[in-house]
Amino acid sequence: MISSSSSKSFSIFTTTQNPNLMRSSVRVIKTGTISSSFSSRVIIDTGVSFSPAGLLSPYHIGAAQQLINYDIINDNTAVSGSSGGALAAIIVALRMNLDDAMKGSNYVAQRCRDEGTRGTLCSALTKILTDLVPEDAHILLQQRPSPCTLGYTEISPILRPQFISTFKDKKDVLEVLLASCNIPFYFNGNNIGMTVRGAYAVDGFFTTDSYRFGCPPTGAVGQEIIVTPFSASLIGLDPYRSRLKIDDCRYDVISSDILIRNGKKHLWPFSVLEILQMALSAPSSRKNPSGIISDEEISEIYEVLYKAGMESVKLWYEEQQR
């Protein structure tokens, strides 16, 4: 978010895209002045927005890895997310080790299994984020050529969505992330919300209309890719119908639907109810339905989610080449 201070010279940048490799790059197109605390403003061609996902974040991590492999996500790609998607966006923007992110996902699930998800999710996630997010995260995000935008919903003193892309320190980054993940009366125990930037806030899922399913806009004007582990058709995800749609922008949705559509059901062996359950708590044991799931089986299930995210992007990318 841009705060006004004084009029400064700036250069407007835009991204161009190689139609074969789908890579984004930055070039200067004109100069002028803008009242801003920044010396430059960026107009982005390509963006990736990660949907709310709860504890299904391993799917996002796998999808992010594959998008990085194809160089669709790089420093010139705007990224955004709410709730579980905010975690994916920050992981990408800060170039965090994805193996560490997967280990963090496993840790959170294990804590939720042992202590119950309600109220535990906040403390478990706080510990992992404190460990993984670098002390200079706010500086790294500021220096990134394209923005990383995190969404949360402010409910007091007034009701309004917040899309945050600048941060004052690591503590601010963590508080925005936690607010974005704050499912009322669940994430943080009996509390409906939590305080962030002097206001009371809840989950970023509520920041957009239903057609975007809580996926914050990236600001991209050429192409925006929306990633979700849920069935896009089932949740009604259709960015072209959203009031946040940008004219002439191309929207693509990558979801678990693409696995089913391409005969890859074996890579997505979950029912709708299982997906909803895993989004809100640790997975249930498939090997011993009446017993407690082991650390090993949590890891195995999360690896399935990770690989499903990678394969979803692969199938989508191959479709673009035809």
Side-chain angles (χ1 to χ4, degrees), residues 140-177:
L140 296 174
L141 293 171
Q142 180 79 3
Q143 293 173 342
R144 192 174 190 270
S146 293
C148 171
T149 303
L150 310 179
Y152 65 82
T153 308
E154 186 176 311
I155 59 174
S156 178
I158 60 175
L159 178 64
R160 60 183 173 181
Q162 291 283 8
F163 302 118
I164 308 299
S165 58
T166 61
F167 306 87
K168 62 182 181 180
D169 52 30
K170 175 180 176 176
K171 182 174 180 286
D172 188 36
V173 174
L174 297 188
E175 288 181 351
V176 169
L177 281 169

Side-chain angles (χ1 to χ4, degrees), residues 49-76:
S49 185
F50 295 94
S51 82
L55 275 73
L56 298 173
S57 291
Y59 179 94
H60 275 333
I61 297 171
Q65 178 64 78
Q66 195 72 291
L67 288 166
I68 291 169
N69 291 345
Y70 289 134
D71 199 28
I72 296 170
I73 287 182
N74 54 52
D75 283 348
N76 295 321

Side-chain angles (χ1 to χ4, degrees), residues 240-297:
Y240 281 105
R241 299 178 68 184
S242 172
R243 59 182 172 78
L244 296 174
K245 179 177 76 72
I246 295 176
D247 290 340
D248 299 324
C249 183
R250 168 186 167 182
Y251 293 94
D252 288 284
V253 174
I254 300 175
S255 80
S256 53
D257 284 348
I258 199 169
L259 299 170
I260 310 303
R261 190 167 69 241
N262 284 273
K264 303 280 188 177
K265 173 63 177 173
H266 62 286
L267 297 179
W268 193 250
F270 310 111
S271 69
V272 173
L273 288 178
E274 283 178 309
I275 289 299
L276 291 175
Q277 181 264 319
M278 286 195 294
L280 294 172
S281 62
S284 296
S285 177
R286 300 180 130 228
K287 297 177 179 178
N288 182 20
S290 61
I292 297 175
I293 190 169
S294 66
D295 290 357
E296 180 182 13
E297 192 177 359

